[in-house]
């Protein structure tokens, strides 16, 4: 059966995002050209411009794609894991990130630095980060409700704090290989869960 135009366009976009991810996470952003991305993906630069407005637009599309994917993994760990295993689930995912995605955190550091100096750049980056925090906050709310704990007053703050811990730990691990992101996440998340159970569950 012939493939539809929409399917072809979706595959082209996917291949460009995958190629851009490799380019952006293995080299400095300023050193990467759209020609480099197109060549890696097996297209011409025209294909890039048919899908993305600019190199910056392509960068943010890569970030959106990454955080949607990684966010779903953490959401699943929070929502689906047994209470005693949430730290292990989150830690295990962080450990895989540490092992496989060091280049992404180098890229993220550069993006964060640029966002601190460019308000327009920061605005789109904030949209991506806000969406990521919302997904985590909603997972925290859902998990709390499953054990009859109302976390609506602190779910947003918990999401910000946990993400900040996670990002900070992984950035530390990117330059200090003695830092075990898996272990740090397990300890911090288990401590948070224990504290919430101790202070929020009704007592007889």
């Amino acid at each position: 059966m012939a493939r539809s135009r929409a399917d072809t366009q979706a595959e082209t976009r996917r291949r460009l995002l995958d190629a851009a991810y490799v380019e952006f996470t293995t080299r400095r952003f300023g050193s990467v050209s759209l020609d480099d991305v197109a060549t890696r993906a097996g297209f011409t630069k025209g294909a890039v411009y048919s899908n993305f407005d600019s190199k910056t637009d392509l960068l943010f599309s890569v970030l959106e794609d990454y955080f949607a994917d990684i966010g779903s993994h953490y959401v699943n760990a929070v929502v689906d894991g047994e209470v005693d295993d949430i730290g292990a689930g989150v830690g295990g995912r962080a450990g895989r990130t540490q092992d496989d995605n060091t280049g992404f955190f180098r890229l993220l550091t550069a993006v964060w630095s640029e966002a601190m100096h460019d308000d327009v750049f920061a605005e789109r980056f904030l949209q991506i980060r806000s969406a990521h925090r919302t997904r985590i906050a909603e997972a925290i709310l859902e998990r709390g409700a499953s054990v009859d704990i109302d976390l609506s007053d602190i779910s947003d703050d918990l999401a910000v704090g946990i993400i900040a811990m996670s990002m900070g730990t992984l950035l530390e691990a990117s330059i200090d290989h003695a830092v075990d992101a898996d272990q740090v996440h397990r300890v911090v998340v288990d401590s948070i869960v224990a504290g919430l159970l101790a202070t929020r569950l009704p007592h007889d």
Side-chain angles (χ1 to χ4, degrees), residues 15-28 32 37 40 62 103-104 106-107:
R15 286 171 58 184
L16 288 169
L17 285 170
D18 290 344
Y21 179 89
V22 174
E23 290 291 331
F24 290 152
T25 58
T26 56
R27 302 167 57 195
R28 293 180 182 272
V32 177
V37 174
R40 180 176 289 277
V62 168
F104 178 79
R106 287 196 295 267
L107 172 65

Side-chain angles (χ1 to χ4, degrees), residues 35 38 43-51:
D35 282 320
F43 298 113
T44 65
K45 188 163 66 173
V48 182
Y49 279 119
S50 294
N51 287 273

Side-chain angles (χ1 to χ4, degrees), residues 64-83:
E64 287 169 348
D65 192 58
Y66 178 88
F67 280 113
D69 179 58
I70 199 70
S72 68
H73 294 171
Y74 285 114
V75 164
N76 291 339
V78 171
V79 172
D80 296 333
E82 297 295 329
V83 171

Side-chain angles (χ1 to χ4, degrees), residues 20-157:
Y21 179 89
V22 174
E23 290 291 331
F24 290 152
T25 58
T26 56
R27 302 167 57 195
R28 293 180 182 272
F29 176 69
S31 300
V32 177
S33 71
L34 292 182
D35 282 320
D36 296 329
V37 174
T39 298
R40 180 176 289 277
F43 298 113
T44 65
K45 188 163 66 173
V48 182
Y49 279 119
S50 294
N51 287 273
F52 306 98
D53 293 337
S54 63
K55 187 170 80 167
T56 299
D57 182 45
L58 177 57
L59 167 66
F60 280 118
S61 296
V62 168
L63 293 176
E64 287 169 348
D65 192 58
Y66 178 88
F67 280 113
D69 179 58
I70 199 70
S72 68
H73 294 171
Y74 285 114
V75 164
N76 291 339
V78 171
V79 172
D80 296 333
E82 297 295 329
V83 171
D84 292 341
D85 294 332
I86 293 176
V90 172
R93 187 62 189 85
R96 293 194 297 276
T97 300
Q98 179 180 4
D99 292 339
D100 301 334
N101 297 101
T102 301
F104 178 79
F105 285 91
R106 287 196 295 267
L107 172 65
L108 195 62
T109 301
V111 171
W112 226 300
S113 177
E114 184 64 25
M116 293 175 70
H117 296 282
D118 184 327
D119 290 342
V120 175
F121 199 90
E123 183 177 357
R124 185 162 178 190
F125 188 41
L126 177 59
Q127 291 173 357
I128 296 169
R129 299 297 299 160
S130 294
H132 183 55
R133 292 199 304 264
T134 296
R135 285 190 290 268
I136 301 301
E138 290 174 347
I140 291 169
L141 271 176
E142 182 177 344
R143 192 51 204 254
S146 74
V147 291
D148 296 322
I149 299 178
D150 181 8
L151 299 176
S152 57
D153 59 328
I154 60 171
S155 60
D156 289 341
D157 290 336

